Amino acid sequence: MNALSIAFGAAALTAAVTPPAMAQSNASGNIFGQVDAPSGASIVVENKETGLKRTALPEAGGRYQLTALPVGRYTVQLIREGKVANSSDVEVRVGQGVNASFTAAVQAVQVTGRRSRIDISNTNSGATFTASELAKLPITPSVASIIQLAPNTTRGDSRYGDGNAPSFGGSAASENAFYINGFPVTNVLFQVGTSELPFGAIGGAQILTGGFGAEFGRSTGGVVNISTKSGTNTWEVGGSVSIEPNSLRSTQKNIYYGNNGQPTDGKLYTYYKDNTRDNTIANVFVGGPIIKDKLFLYANLERTKTDLDGTRANADSTSARLTGWEERRDTINRGLVKVDWNINDDHRLEGTYINDDPKSDRSYYGFDYAALTYGSTKNGGAHYESYGPTPVAARVGAEIKILNYTGNLSDDVTLTAMVGNSTTEHVYDPVGYNATLFQVSAPANARIPGFSYNSPQTTTGNILTPGAFDKQKVMNLNLQYKVGDHTLRAGADQNKISSKAGTSRAGGGQWTYGFASNPNSPINAAIPAPATNGGFGAQGYYVQRIQSSGVSTPSVDQEAQYIEDTWQATSKIILKAGLRNEQFTNYNGDGEPYVSMRHQLAPRFGATWDAFGDSSLKVFANAGRYHLQMPTNVAVRAAGASLNTSEYFTYTGVDPATGAPLGLKALGGLYSANNEFGQSKDPRGVAALNMDSLYQDELILGFERAYSPSLNFGAKLTYRKLKSTIDDFCDQRPFDKYAADHGIENNFVFNCALFNPGKGNDFLVDYAGDGSKLTPVHLSAEELGYPEVKRSYAALDLYAEHPLRNGWYGRINYTLSRNKGNTEGQTRSDSGQADVATTAVFDYPELTLNSNGLLPNDRKHQIKAYGFYQFTDELSVGGNLLVASGRPKNCIGNLPQSYYDANNDATGYGSEFFFCNDKATPRGTLGRMPWDTRLDLNLAYSPRLLKGLILRADVFNVFNRQVGQNQTESYNTGKSVNALYGNVISYTAPRSVKLTAEYSYKF
């Protein structure tokens, strides 16, 4: 704090010159610096691999800057009188600035070896990795693995799937933003997870955990910013094959019942011992110049095949004997084609095509838990594409097309623009499924003797709607203008998203046969007695045709504008101030807006102090506000069309092939108990008016020190506080009380609505019950009965780093943190609920009792260490270590009887409250899951005799520590104690070995 006070005070007193502040593009990087005696001098930078050249003339004070440079290695030359007076080699990283100064002071620092990798131009927090660094570390080839290297990140709940749903800084899994070459690739339906590209096509990855500038939005967690590789002036081809055989994989742990005084205590719940997993990854690439220095091509194809055989049902599952064993064949085909056109030194186009196509084929067989054996008769299965077994746990692929333009309109003006689109198709196709064949339900007492009530439809219940998709169209424009000591940056972007989502009754509907013991009595108030139709109706037999669907075609418009000023206030101080204005509009399937949020203002402030003036000590601070939108899936649950109809008939026969009734004679008309005839909900009543978006405030203070050629270290304090959230609630009592207090005739039936918990909200209420008139109703926070929304994250980060020197690189991070509150955010990891922004957390006020405490993403201590050592030119080793506190544990049970009354519908929620055995059990007070300790190692061999060949062995979880990640926290089943309470839901993966052969050839 003293250092920052000195820095801000000095801003008003100092007028010296310094390397300039840099505005960052999220798909490129920058070079900046200072020159002694700048008169007549110029700076020329040249990309070593593509020949791209840029020239800058230093200002009178010696400063220069070159922005929006493609990621890569550059030579920076100081030119005097037409000759090279000095030069330096630097590496431009995605989203970062690199200092290349030519001054007596800096040269002296370079001689003494104090210079290191500290970017004084940035105030953001996180980690950045190049492709060569990632290749040396023992990590699985996924974006999720890169994320876990960064501080302030944790794995999300395992029920969200494949480690692709991390938590950044205590946020929920849906609060992150993912970009490839500046294009957003976050799953737009749920906001959980991302589309990916071939891992070998990653040129650089920036993991931002906080402090990002006004250019970035739509994230209250973190930002993952990936740049792809490009072709160079040298043609290169290559490929790799990796195998991860089951024979080198340790046995997976079984899961057992909890110990709750039940007959099942400690008994086997899920058998995993015989599960097998074989994984193969094949990759080929080619890159080079179509026209030297001008036009480049890079293409990369990757196929991942995973064979998994194992149990898919638990010991208490009635379906285990038929479908309890699964043979699963997963295939992920990924491809990237990138074309770079250096039109000239000042104008550049980049075209990127990405295809991420995950598929899964599954076959089901019976499993006998008594004998622990599986059968050989196939009893079902399914084919999945970007789906399954639940949407949020899916690997969500996409076809993505991106066009980027960079124009250096002058030495002081840079324009960048991007347009792109993506399409995701969701497919769920069960084995033997006939989309035109109704399901049949025919209880024994409802069957007319002599008729065959066959049920050939193999799929029951609801099914993903055919033709489900997500589409996204994106545009953005950024203009940077340097004037004096200020670098001004302004921009605007627009995302237009549409989906077709939801489920419908498999086969289109269901025939449900019934029997009335008194044929002369009406079936219900709307349906007359069966006997009125004569025939078999006189004996009480009838059939019901049920059709149900929750299919919707929602859309979302997201727009934002920002302006940012980066001011070189003194020779050592950079101040940054920005303002982002975001607009979110969510539409139902009829194109009608049900939520429209305008002018969501997000101010951002940052400062860096180059304390010694040589980039060896940076003191920085950052404060900002960050907003988050709602995904398209919210409309499916909260505002979408709903069909739930019944038609009643008597019948004269049954088709023996299909089980469908014959000779139908209608009993009344089309009937829907809740008036669900396929229409969308009235958009005026599904959400409160003028809501605030989910947003949080953040404050960061820290320093980084390049102490010596062999040591960098630093510390950082982070504090985040959630200020507002959006969720749904279902409590009708406040509306009934309002009607009673104001003398309003009340025929209102409340079906849940979106609102801001813990705040006053305005609603339009259909008290007449027929949509003819909506009454404006204001309910205060007290009248609604909800507490203030709470979620805070406080962390101290410490790090030490050995820069790449003397053949080795290493870094260790330690994080001490606390994540506390009464809501995780948009998701609910307590029960693995991923209904983003429509969880059960705020459905009734009683659900919030005792809910304030340590949240699921809290990890008090985390140590992350990684690095590599090059023994010789042929042999190297790498390591990756994680040591982390376990997740907090809870007991979530029934609401005590003392809270019951006739008007309290919350009592029907069962085991959803922070009460255990009728006693208050505040969140996070029952200890923690075990410590998560994992060590990964690798060994790489590059024989001199065959240049370009690399043989590598990676060992993951060397000590085979399979640790429980989460557990069943539901204490009750009905009024009884849940036999599963306290049982482990999932363990970390067992030890495995990956063997890789890689070869590349340049010509």
Side-chain angles (χ1 to χ4, degrees):
M1 290 299 293
N2 288 337
L4 288 169
S5 298
I6 294 171
F8 292 132
L13 302 174
T14 309
V17 294
T18 187
M22 306 300 296
Q24 304 296 346
S25 168
N26 67 0
S28 59
N30 308 305
I31 298 175
F32 63 88
Q34 186 171 326
V35 177
D36 284 341
S39 179
S42 62
I43 297 292
V44 176
V45 304
E46 181 176 358
N47 188 299
K48 288 188 168 187
E49 296 164 328
T50 67
L52 174 70
K53 289 184 178 180
R54 291 273 302 278
T55 301
L57 298 177
E59 300 172 356
R63 291 178 296 179
Y64 78 90
Q65 64 174 347
L66 291 157
T67 62
L69 291 167
V71 171
R73 297 181 299 121
Y74 287 80
T75 296
V76 185
Q77 296 179 331
L78 171 63
I79 308 296
R80 295 188 188 276
E81 298 179 353
K83 298 180 181 179
V84 178
N86 207 338
S87 67
S88 176
D89 290 339
V90 298
E91 184 171 23
V92 172
R93 292 169 172 251
V94 58
Q96 289 192 318
V98 59
N99 191 334
S101 292
F102 301 97
T103 67
V106 170
Q107 298 307 313
V109 169
Q110 289 175 332
V111 170
T112 60
R114 287 173 56 203
R115 294 286 311 281
S116 191
R117 281 175 44 188
I118 291 182
D119 180 7
I120 63 167
S121 67
N122 257 321
T123 61
N124 57 40
S125 300
T128 303
F129 303 92
T130 64
S132 60
E133 290 170 339
L134 294 174
K136 293 179 181 296
L137 296 176
I139 60 174
T140 57
S142 67
V143 172
S145 295
I146 303 174
I147 293 170
Q148 294 307 320
L149 295 173
N152 297 109
T153 63
T154 64
R155 289 193 295 264
D157 191 281
S158 62
R159 288 166 287 191
Y160 299 150
D162 290 341
N164 204 13
S167 169
F168 285 73
S171 65
S174 64
E175 298 179 30
N176 307 315
F178 298 82
Y179 295 88
I180 297 177
N181 288 349
F183 183 90
V185 292
T186 314
N187 174 2
V188 298
L189 183 62
F190 288 96
Q191 290 177 191
V192 177
T194 175
S195 301
E196 298 192 37
L197 71 167
F199 195 77
I202 296 176
Q206 183 184 35
I207 312 300
L208 294 174
T209 57
F212 24 101
E215 179 179 8
F216 287 105
R218 306 185 186 104
S219 169
T220 48
V223 172
V224 178
N225 187 20
I226 292 173
S227 65
T228 63
K229 290 180 179 177
S230 296
T232 70
N233 274 327
T234 301
W235 280 103
E236 182 177 9
V237 298
S240 65
V241 176
S242 297
I243 60 170
E244 198 171 340
N246 185 71
S247 59
L248 297 179
R249 182 180 178 87
S250 295
T251 302
Q252 188 175 347
K253 277 189 175 183
N254 294 330
I255 291 177
Y256 296 86
Y257 283 91
N259 293 300
N260 305 296
Q262 305 291 311
T264 54
D265 280 6
K267 291 186 177 180
L268 179 66
Y269 179 62
T270 310
Y271 182 71
Y272 286 144
K273 186 177 179 180
D274 288 338
N275 286 12
T276 62
R277 185 180 190 276
D278 289 280
N279 189 64
T280 303
I281 304 174
N283 178 282
V284 293
F285 73 89
V286 60
I290 299 174
I291 302 174
K292 187 177 181 181
D293 292 341
K294 287 290 185 182
L295 190 62
F296 305 91
L297 169 71
Y298 178 81
N300 192 305
L301 297 176
E302 176 186 273
R303 168 171 282 194
T304 300
K305 295 192 69 176
T306 308
D307 295 345
L308 303 102
D309 294 352
T311 49
R312 63 181 294 269
N314 305 313
D316 63 356
S317 172
T318 57
S319 63
R321 283 191 169 272
L322 279 178
T323 59
W325 183 265
E326 175 181 69
E327 292 183 358
R328 174 174 163 183
R329 305 294 177 257
D330 290 355
T331 303
I332 305 176
N333 294 316
R334 290 182 174 137
L336 174 139
V337 178
K338 186 159 187 277
V339 177
D340 296 78
W341 181 21
N342 297 335
I343 302 171
N344 55 43
D345 288 345
D346 292 320
H347 299 275
R348 188 174 74 254
L349 280 175
E350 300 174 12
T352 308
Y353 174 82
I354 300 170
N355 191 34
D356 181 9
D357 185 18
K359 298 178 180 179
S360 181
D361 288 286
R362 308 182 187 191
S363 300
Y364 305 148
Y365 302 85
F367 187 80
D368 184 347
Y369 263 92
L372 298 180
T373 57
Y374 55 90
S376 58
T377 301
K378 185 174 178 179
N379 297 318
H383 172 77
Y384 299 87
E385 296 180 22
S386 290
Y387 185 89
T390 61
V392 77
R395 292 187 179 99
V396 178
E399 183 181 35
I400 303 166
K401 303 169 186 176
I402 314 166
L403 181 64
N404 287 286
Y405 165 75
T406 301
N408 305 296
L409 306 185
S410 73
D411 289 345
D412 297 321
V413 180
T414 301
L415 176 69
T416 61
M418 186 268 288
V419 294
N421 63 71
S422 67
T423 301
T424 297
E425 296 181 353
H426 304 281
V427 175
Y428 172 52
D429 186 12
V431 170
Y433 174 60
N434 184 337
T436 63
L437 187 63
F438 266 40
Q439 301 173 48
V440 175
S441 173
N445 69 338
R447 300 185 178 200
I448 300 173
F451 289 169
S452 175
Y453 291 82
N454 190 24
S455 181
Q457 177 58 268
T458 58
T459 303
T460 60
N462 290 337
I463 192 172
L464 174 72
T465 184
F469 66 81
D470 304 315
K471 293 184 178 181
Q472 182 179 205
K473 295 181 179 180
V474 180
M475 297 186 294
N476 72 42
L477 186 70
N478 304 278
L479 182 66
Q480 178 180 291
Y481 176 47
K482 186 180 182 302
V483 51
D485 294 327
H486 295 267
T487 300
L488 302 176
R489 189 170 169 84
D493 63 56
Q494 180 186 78
N495 293 7
K496 288 187 171 293
I497 299 167
S498 60
S499 295
K500 181 179 180 182
T503 60
S504 54
R505 191 65 63 98
Q510 179 173 308
W511 296 112
T512 298
Y513 290 92
F515 173 74
S517 57
N518 184 354
N520 296 306
S521 294
I523 295 174
N524 60 44
I527 307 301
T532 58
N533 274 358
F536 289 110
Q539 301 175 36
Y541 294 100
Y542 65 91
V543 67
Q544 181 184 6
R545 179 164 60 192
I546 299 173
Q547 292 180 289
S548 64
S549 171
V551 177
S552 186
T553 54
S555 58
V556 178
D557 286 350
Q558 303 165 0
E559 298 176 338
Q561 308 80 39
Y562 76 92
I563 186 168
E564 189 172 74
D565 178 18
T566 305
W567 176 32
Q568 191 73 58
T570 76
S571 61
K572 299 179 180 180
I573 298 169
I574 298 170
L575 301 179
K576 182 181 289 187
L579 180 65
R580 184 177 178 87
N581 180 23
E582 297 188 276
Q583 303 90 48
F584 308 131
T585 304
N586 290 61
Y587 300 88
N588 64 15
D590 297 327
E592 300 171 309
Y594 64 94
V595 171
S596 182
M597 291 175 283
R598 320 302 294 174
H599 307 302
Q600 306 294 300
L601 299 178
R604 315 274 173 87
F605 302 96
T608 63
W609 177 33
D610 182 10
F612 297 150
D614 60 5
S615 300
S616 66
L617 174 59
K618 178 177 80 169
V619 182
F620 62 95
N622 196 284
R625 174 164 290 180
Y626 303 86
H627 293 267
L628 186 70
Q629 73 284 352
M630 294 188 298
T632 52
N633 187 64
V634 173
V636 179
R637 284 179 56 85
S642 180
L643 173 69
N644 191 4
T645 62
S646 295
E647 295 174 88
Y648 289 82
F649 307 87
T650 56
Y651 60 100
T652 60
V654 177
D655 186 332
T658 66
L662 303 173
L664 293 176
K665 189 174 181 181
L667 279 169
L670 193 65
Y671 170 74
S672 177
N674 295 310
N675 196 36
E676 298 174 78
F677 291 100
Q679 76 279 19
S680 295
K681 298 179 179 69
D682 188 333
R684 299 171 297 174
V686 299
L689 306 175
N690 304 316
M691 289 190 297
D692 291 325
S693 64
L694 184 152
Y695 72 90
Q696 74 177 7
D697 291 339
E698 176 186 78
L699 176 65
I700 296 175
L701 302 171
F703 77 90
E704 295 182 48
R705 174 77 163 108
Y707 181 74
S708 73
S710 301
L711 178 62
N712 298 338
F713 61 84
K716 181 185 66 173
L717 290 169
T718 301
Y719 181 72
R720 289 176 154 189
K721 185 175 183 180
L722 186 68
K723 306 292 287 186
S724 172
T725 190
I726 295 176
D727 214 308
D728 66 338
F729 80 111
C730 307
D731 189 4
Q732 182 160 330
R733 290 171 294 182
F735 298 105
D736 291 343
K737 185 177 185 304
Y738 185 94
D741 291 345
H742 293 80
I744 300 173
E745 183 178 349
N746 186 7
N747 294 307
F748 179 48
V749 177
F750 187 44
N751 292 315
C752 305
L754 299 167
F755 79 132
N756 288 139
K759 297 183 177 182
N761 286 261
D762 294 293
F763 302 91
L764 294 175
V765 182
D766 181 17
Y767 279 120
D770 58 8
S772 61
K773 179 184 178 183
L774 299 183
T775 302
V777 172
H778 175 80
L779 297 173
S780 67
E782 293 75 19
E783 289 170 321
L784 286 164
Y786 292 90
E788 177 185 357
V789 168
K790 295 179 181 179
R791 187 185 77 189
S792 63
Y793 176 79
L796 168 65
D797 287 299
L798 306 174
Y799 87 89
E801 178 184 51
H802 182 283
L804 182 56
R805 179 181 172 84
N806 299 326
W808 73 282
Y809 170 82
R811 182 178 175 110
I812 183 170
N813 298 287
Y814 167 71
T815 302
L816 171 67
S817 64
R818 185 185 69 174
N819 184 204
K820 186 177 181 181
N822 58 15
T823 177
E824 178 186 352
Q826 286 188 327
T827 58
R828 188 191 183 202
S829 295
D830 300 324
S831 56
Q833 187 179 10
D835 296 315
V836 174
T838 54
T839 69
V841 172
F842 296 104
D843 281 7
Y844 288 87
E846 289 82 357
L847 290 160
T848 67
L849 296 172
N850 309 307
S851 65
N852 188 31
L854 295 176
L855 292 165
N857 294 314
D858 179 76
R859 305 291 186 272
K860 185 176 182 179
H861 302 284
Q862 281 199 94
I863 297 174
K864 297 182 177 182
Y866 53 86
F868 49 86
Y869 188 88
Q870 190 80 36
F871 287 102
T872 67
D873 291 342
E874 293 184 293
L875 195 64
S876 67
V877 296
N880 180 20
L881 172 69
L882 170 68
V883 180
S885 303
R887 168 176 166 170
K889 295 193 290 188
N890 298 300
C891 182
I892 302 175
N894 293 339
L895 189 67
Q897 287 289 332
S898 58
Y899 289 88
Y900 279 49
D901 65 62
N903 296 318
N904 188 356
D905 291 334
T907 57
Y909 271 60
S911 192
E912 294 283 354
F913 304 86
F914 286 92
F915 288 90
C916 209
N917 207 15
D918 284 349
K919 295 180 181 179
T921 312
R923 177 191 288 277
T925 57
L926 298 180
R928 293 179 178 272
M929 299 296 292
W931 281 71
D932 187 359
T933 303
R934 174 177 166 133
L935 175 65
D936 304 329
L937 296 174
N938 71 8
L939 176 67
Y941 175 58
S942 305
R944 290 193 186 94
L945 295 178
L946 188 54
K947 187 177 181 181
L949 176 66
I950 301 174
L951 303 176
R952 182 183 296 110
D954 295 85
V955 183
F956 303 112
N957 195 3
V958 172
F959 298 109
N960 195 30
R961 287 183 55 88
Q962 298 182 53
V963 178
Q965 301 179 81
N966 45 12
Q967 68 175 31
T968 299
E969 297 184 337
S970 177
Y971 183 72
N972 293 108
T973 301
K975 294 183 179 181
S976 303
V977 175
N978 183 6
L980 290 173
Y981 170 69
N983 86 308
V984 172
I985 294 172
S986 64
Y987 290 96
T988 50
R991 178 175 52 232
S992 61
V993 178
K994 183 177 73 171
L995 305 175
T996 302
E998 177 183 335
Y999 180 73
S1000 62
Y1001 179 75
K1002 294 182 179 181
F1003 57 92

